[in-house]
Amino acid sequence: MSSTPVPRIRPRRLRETPSLRRLVSETRLHPAELVLPIFVREGVTAPVPIGSMPGVVQHSIGSLPQAISDAAAAGVGGVMLFGVPEVRDAQGTGATDPDGILNAATKVAAEASAGRLVVQTDLCLDEFTDHGHCGVLDERGHVDNDATLERYTAMALAQAGAGSELLGLSGMMDGQVAAVREALDGAGHHDTAILAYSAKYASAFYGPFRDAVESTLEGDRRSYQLDPGNRREGLREAMIDIDEGADVVMVKPAGSYLDVLADVAAASDVPVWAYQVSGEYAMIEAAAAHGWIDRKRAVIESVRGIRRAGADAVLTYWAVELAEWINNGDTE
Ligand code: PBG
């Protein structure tokens, strides 16, 4: 007579009770590791909802302080500001104007934060150019890498002057970290840090964001953002940025690039962040609105997966809500 063998090894033992599961959990979420992206729109007097990002708004300058305070009260680690200007031109002049929407918003945010969270700014021209590209164009209509660096260094000085503590270089131009570091140091901004969006892929998941900033882009960004098929190249970009002086490196989007994130996390000696982008947000919100998935569990799982893959911090549009769940002990 044969008897069913009794398992000698039983991993399920550690899954038996909620308290055991909590004790052996490998990845915990903390509000301080969350960064909230915030859109600020010029010329509006009240927040404007973004159709493709239910629950997210374009803030007015007037509604920004409360948003900063809410994030700080929830314990969120920082905010990343994006500006939506009224007027755009070929050079993206609004980006370097000290009174341009992003720089004006930065001053307001820095004051509202009063050191409670880290005020960060997107450093890229796409919201400010009439053609919608992340850089300036040459006579053939191609994005001119080195001419763009000059615009980025001017932007960096404007943002640092406005009080941004961490500049988010998201334009994917070669040499942008080195150029901005040198410009900051030359102007005495030694303490202004650089977050390099090192491995930024040419992704369909930015779709709702382009709504949010009312992007005028025609065509695509494949001549500067990474090919979604390229893993090794993502790591290479991060290593170059660390070498050029990046204080933090980032992988973006997050959910479809967890392998790249794990590679960068294994190799990096600076913090590694990930950006859970607008399309990742919109997909979960849309499915949840249909009742097809459990919204809260899906949000928590999506961010936890990004942390598990190696992100030290996560930019997510759910930062404040998620922080509140964490604070209420509601995520285990
Ligand atoms: C560029 C920038 C983009 C995002 C952040 N910074 C858009 C792009 O490259 O087209 C996307 C963020 C998101 O989708 O949530 N300034």
Side-chain angles (χ1 to χ4, degrees), residues 74-129:
V76 163
V79 294
M80 173 62 73
L81 301 176
F82 294 92
V84 186
E86 273 184 311
V87 182
R88 301 167 195 225
D89 61 25
Q91 302 293 313
T93 309
T96 45
D97 178 350
D99 299 321
I101 182 63
L102 180 53
N103 298 319
T106 301
K107 284 183 208 135
V108 169
E111 191 174 322
S113 155
R116 291 179 294 165
L117 49 69
V118 178
V119 173
Q120 314 165 45
T121 43
D122 185 58
L123 198 161
C124 189
L125 282 174
D126 64 317
E127 286 96 25
F128 297 94
T129 52

Side-chain angles (χ1 to χ4, degrees), residues 134-151:
C134 293
V136 292
L137 307 181
D138 64 19
E139 30 333 306
R140 296 170 307 153
H142 293 183
V143 174
D144 185 333
N145 192 91
D146 299 8
T148 298
L149 295 183
E150 288 178 32
R151 298 292 298 130

Side-chain angles (χ1 to χ4, degrees), residues 82 122 124 126-127 134 170 197 200 205-206 209-210 221 225 252 275-279 317:
F82 294 92
D122 185 58
C124 189
D126 64 317
E127 286 96 25
C134 293
S170 69
Y197 288 45
K200 180 173 178 183
F205 295 111
Y206 306 145
F209 174 94
R210 293 189 187 165
R221 305 199 198 287
Q225 297 180 347
K252 174 185 176 184
Y275 196 142
Q276 184 180 50
V277 301
S278 56
Y317 298 97

